[in-house]
Amino acid sequence: MTEYEIVIGLEVHAQVLTDSKVFCGCSTEFGASPNEHTCPICLGLPGTLPVLNKKTVEYTIKTGLAMNCDIAEFSKFDRKNYFYPDLPKAYQISQYDMPLCKNGYIEFWVNGEKKRVGINRIHLEEDAGKLVHAGSIAESQYSFADYNRSGIALMEIVSEPDIHSPEEARLYLNELKKILEYLEVSDCNMEEGSLRCDANISLRPVGTVTFGTKAEVKNLNSFRAVQRALEFEAERQADLLREGGKVIQETRHWDESKGITIPLRSKEEAHDYRYFPESDVPPLVIKDSWVDEIKRGLPELPAVKRARFVNEYGIPEQDVEVLTETKAMADFFEECVKDYNEPKTVSNWLIGEFLRLLNAEGIEIKESKVTSRHLAGMLKLIKDGTISGKIAKTVFEEIFKTGKTAEIVVKEKGLVQITDEDAINDVVDKVISENPGAVEDLKAGKNKAIGFLVGQVMKETRGRANPQLVNEILRKRLL
Amino acid sequence: MVKRILSSKRQTMKNTIDINTVKRMAFLSRLEISDSEAKEFSLQLSETLNYVHKLNELDTEDIEPTIHVLPLKNVLREDKVRPSLTQERALMNASCKEDGYFKVPKIVE
């Protein structure tokens, strides 16, 4: 698609990680029975008075600071009015013209180039309830409303239309999620709905500045879905424009299984939310001292950490990318390096074996039994020759399974490396007599044969022989 | 009473809220109204609005917009969980319920 430029803006809703809802004391815990976490306030019963949760304001400001935003000195809430059964009050308390944060940006790398995407605004609002349907939505006669989610705090993070490809959109979301996780202001669990994304996309002829007509794409349940839906939508719009057609401004639904977007019959001919100030929630005056206090609590952010890992530990950038993917992994790395000061080795084990096992089990680093001490302890055993690097994989798997220390695993399984020359010589005798062909090959100058013979000795000793020593002995004996 | 006073002036008032606006507001509010009602409400709403327009005579150049009627700010609570209603209590007044849910007519998007 060379004749059109893609213009994308993303709206992300992130659940703010609090124990109680934004305007009442109901629990935010996921997975309760329907309507168990509700009260007169989040059910929208008449005569109730919402009281704002302080932490939701602080977490939103914290996010704004991490995304280089201006923090409002004065902010207020507004009512967004619409009639739908997921909204018991028939309005959502949100922020219209005075959001908590404005004019920020985040930066990330796209194919080796630094990309900056503007953040238009970040505001705080309450979530709506959840509607479920018996059977398929088409057959069902009723909707069933569960208001446990109603009133849970959400941050809406709105980007500028600075994103110019579906891939950039995915990378933007990836960085945004990482920032939220590092800040510990949202757990960003897309399956539980704590991170949701809507995308606006339009095309314009390359070289022009006027925006084309945009479509809004909803139901994007994973970062992959965002990229795929935008790829489809860009093609669809380009085809339309090439044929001289027009893009209609509408909301479209991403159908994951078919891989297409379809127009959503709009519930209202046009959105008209009739915003007006929320008279039940007094405005916020945010003093510099409050913002400064929040600023002091900011952790090291992903971009800064990445740069530091490259400089301080001399780790290649691609590896740092994996190592800092989660804060838990980055912290694990640094803790481990304190105990075993060979960053590259530690990094290789983390992004190699450890990540492989975590992925195979489908668990997070925090859920694993392995601690940084465990790994450091095992690396020390490799270094002092107690175990071979090859056997270490077996040891590590056992640590991963049982949570035992490397010393104990090695002792229990009898995995101590054999460095005694006599013991190795005995095995070498056996291997030489059993593999005359390979021995002939080696003597005839086929160097590859040595590898085979070393392998046979390792096999006989169940990986416990010191491979360098085996190599030396074989060479001494046969060459 | 008010209605009668306003009605008596009806002929002299300008229609600031036309019938289409009334119909649109009714649609947004999910209210069903007849054409004659739309006409009636158009006149009534216009009269009310015209009456309030008198305030436009005041010079509000240097007055900050009122965002909240009380001199309150930063009314905040700590992030503490408090007991919710039980499911039974939450659904107590619902006219239609099933399996712990509020049951409502399906709204087709």
Side-chain angles (χ1 to χ4, degrees):
Chain A
M1 199 188 310
T2 46
E3 71 268 49
Y4 296 111
E5 183 186 35
I6 305 174
V7 179
I8 297 166
L10 296 175
E11 287 172 19
V12 171
H13 285 92
Q15 183 178 328
V16 185
L17 194 57
T18 54
D19 293 332
S20 67
K21 294 184 178 180
V22 59
F23 294 117
C24 64
C26 287
S27 168
T28 59
E29 201 190 334
F30 183 77
S33 296
N35 296 301
E36 258 188 355
H37 294 162
T38 61
C39 72
I41 293 175
C42 55
L43 287 175
L45 303 188
T48 52
L49 203 57
V51 185
L52 184 56
N53 181 337
K54 188 178 176 193
K55 201 183 236 179
T56 63
V57 177
E58 291 182 336
Y59 278 12
T60 307
I61 294 175
K62 198 174 182 181
T63 306
L65 289 170
M67 298 184 183
N68 311 291
C69 290
D70 300 330
I71 308 303
E73 288 168 26
F74 185 90
S75 182
K76 71 171 172 87
F77 289 88
D78 300 275
R79 291 188 183 179
K80 178 177 177 178
N81 301 279
Y82 66 93
F83 286 83
Y84 206 64
D86 65 0
L87 199 62
K89 297 192 296 295
Y91 61 84
Q92 176 193 30
I93 306 180
S94 180
Q95 299 195 285
Y96 183 54
D97 56 347
M98 299 179 116
L100 280 164
C101 316
K102 277 202 282 199
N103 302 331
Y105 62 85
I106 63 179
E107 287 179 329
F108 50 96
W109 294 85
V110 181
N111 302 324
E113 271 181 55
K114 194 182 258 185
K115 168 83 188 173
R116 176 182 287 199
V117 172
I119 301 293
N120 177 282
R121 60 186 277 153
I122 306 174
H123 72 250
L124 185 57
E125 63 184 27
E126 58 177 347
D127 203 350
K130 193 175 78 176
L131 297 181
V132 293
H133 297 90
S136 78
I137 187 160
E139 290 161 18
S140 174
Q141 286 212 28
Y142 296 96
S143 294
F144 296 92
D146 172 8
Y147 296 115
N148 284 344
R149 224 173 60 184
S150 163
I152 285 182
L154 299 178
M155 281 185 266
E156 181 170 334
I157 304 166
V158 183
S159 88
E160 295 289 355
D162 292 343
I163 300 164
H164 296 300
S165 74
E167 192 199 5
E168 277 182 20
R170 182 177 54 79
L171 293 169
Y172 164 84
L173 288 171
N174 201 39
E175 188 67 16
L176 182 140
K177 176 170 181 266
K178 240 187 267 182
I179 293 172
L180 296 179
E181 282 174 340
Y182 270 58
L183 295 173
E184 293 173 337
V185 295
S186 176
D187 64 13
C188 299
N189 188 331
M190 287 191 105
E191 279 146 40
E192 291 179 7
S194 58
L195 194 75
R196 286 171 253 158
C197 173
D198 299 330
N200 288 303
I201 173 167
S202 64
L203 302 186
R204 62 184 170 198
V206 168
T208 61
V209 288
T210 320
F211 291 124
T213 307
K214 69 181 177 185
E216 186 180 8
V217 187
K218 286 185 183 274
N219 191 41
L220 304 170
N221 294 320
S222 67
F223 289 179
R224 208 176 104 77
V226 172
Q227 182 168 355
R228 283 179 65 210
L230 289 171
E231 278 163 1
F232 174 86
E233 189 55 24
E235 271 308 319
R236 185 190 71 88
Q237 292 186 12
D239 287 347
L240 262 175
L241 295 173
R242 275 189 211 110
E243 291 160 11
K246 271 189 183 146
V247 175
I248 305 165
Q249 178 153 357
E250 63 184 351
T251 303
R252 298 180 69 87
H253 181 92
W254 168 245
D255 185 326
E256 178 79 34
S257 58
K258 293 199 185 104
I260 55 168
T261 67
I262 43 174
L264 213 59
R265 274 258 167 242
S266 181
K267 55 191 167 195
E268 290 179 14
E269 60 217 42
H271 291 302
D272 187 347
Y273 294 127
R274 293 150 293 147
Y275 283 96
F276 61 86
E278 166 55 85
S279 47
D280 287 342
V281 182
L284 288 166
V285 174
I286 300 155
K287 290 198 174 145
D288 287 350
S289 57
W290 194 13
V291 176
D292 288 343
E293 194 190 313
I294 296 167
K295 205 180 268 174
R296 278 194 295 276
L298 282 178
E300 182 179 42
L301 293 165
V304 178
K305 199 184 280 287
R306 283 196 293 266
R308 184 170 64 81
F309 273 28
V310 173
N311 293 329
E312 195 175 320
Y313 299 114
I315 305 213
E317 264 181 57
Q318 310 92 281
D319 293 0
V320 165
E321 205 56 53
V322 185
L323 219 46
T324 57
E325 185 67 32
T326 63
K327 186 166 178 285
M329 178 68 100
D331 289 347
F332 190 106
F333 168 77
E334 291 206 282
E335 279 302 308
C336 195
V337 168
K338 271 186 210 158
D339 287 335
Y340 187 80
N341 194 16
E342 286 185 24
K344 190 76 183 82
T345 309
V346 173
S347 166
N348 287 345
W349 274 89
L350 283 182
I351 66 183
E353 279 303 291
F354 196 17
L355 209 55
R356 184 180 67 79
L357 292 169
L358 288 172
N359 290 341
E361 283 288 309
I363 59 170
E364 299 288 325
I365 198 161
K366 277 180 182 161
E367 300 168 272
S368 129
K369 295 188 180 112
V370 184
T371 64
S372 63
R373 286 261 164 90
H374 279 128
L375 179 57
M378 189 194 76
L379 295 177
K380 280 175 196 164
L381 292 185
I382 302 175
K383 181 141 205 190
D384 69 17
T386 310
I387 55 173
S388 67
K390 192 164 188 273
I391 272 293
K393 285 193 180 180
T394 312
V395 175
F396 191 74
E397 271 175 32
E398 196 62 20
I399 297 171
F400 187 85
K401 253 188 267 170
T402 61
K404 289 176 182 167
T405 65
E407 275 105 340
I408 290 175
V409 170
V410 167
K411 210 172 284 171
E412 280 182 1
K413 300 243 156 185
L415 298 170
V416 178
Q417 181 161 249
I418 304 168
T419 47
D420 175 44
E421 264 189 63
D422 293 338
I424 293 176
N425 262 318
D426 290 346
V427 183
V428 167
D429 283 340
K430 189 166 174 250
V431 168
I432 287 175
S433 66
E434 283 173 3
N435 298 282
V439 171
E440 284 311 309
D441 284 350
L442 183 62
K443 283 184 173 158
K446 287 186 185 162
N447 268 324
K448 268 189 191 163
I450 190 106
F452 172 77
L453 290 168
V454 171
Q456 290 306 305
V457 175
M458 297 306 289
K459 202 173 156 193
E460 281 292 322
T461 58
R462 287 186 297 128
R464 287 156 61 221
N466 179 329
Q468 271 131 328
L469 201 57
V470 174
N471 201 303
E472 270 170 40
I473 290 171
L474 277 167
R475 282 178 188 278
K476 219 186 290 168
R477 299 260 305 259
L478 300 174
L479 298 173
Chain B
M1 185 68 165
V2 174
K3 191 180 169 187
R4 215 186 49 211
I5 295 169
L6 289 173
S7 300
S8 68
K9 293 187 183 172
R10 196 169 274 176
Q11 302 311 314
T12 58
M13 285 290 186
K14 207 167 52 183
N15 268 9
T16 40
I17 305 244
D18 63 23
I19 289 173
N20 285 337
T21 309
V22 173
K23 284 187 173 168
R24 168 127 183 95
M25 285 194 296
F27 171 76
L28 289 171
S29 308
R30 301 293 181 272
L31 294 172
E32 215 175 324
I33 59 168
S34 67
D35 283 354
S36 65
E37 280 173 321
K39 198 173 165 193
E40 191 185 350
F41 295 148
S42 155
L43 291 169
Q44 288 178 356
L45 289 167
S46 297
E47 281 167 358
T48 309
L49 209 61
N50 288 337
Y51 176 68
V52 178
H53 272 164
K54 194 167 175 58
L55 289 171
N56 286 346
E57 289 167 20
L58 292 170
D59 178 10
T60 56
E61 187 70 15
D62 298 319
I63 315 267
E64 273 194 34
T66 304
I67 280 161
H68 202 264
V69 289
L70 299 174
L72 286 171
K73 58 176 193 198
N74 299 17
V75 179
L76 299 162
R77 48 171 263 275
E78 294 302 317
D79 179 31
K80 288 261 161 57
V81 174
R82 299 219 315 220
S84 297
L85 296 174
T86 60
Q87 190 188 66
E88 195 189 2
R89 295 260 300 158
L91 294 161
M92 196 170 71
N93 294 322
S95 56
C96 220
K97 56 194 154 189
E98 199 173 305
D99 296 334
Y101 292 95
F102 292 88
K103 193 172 166 186
V104 298
K106 185 179 73 167
I107 309 286
V108 186
E109 286 236 339

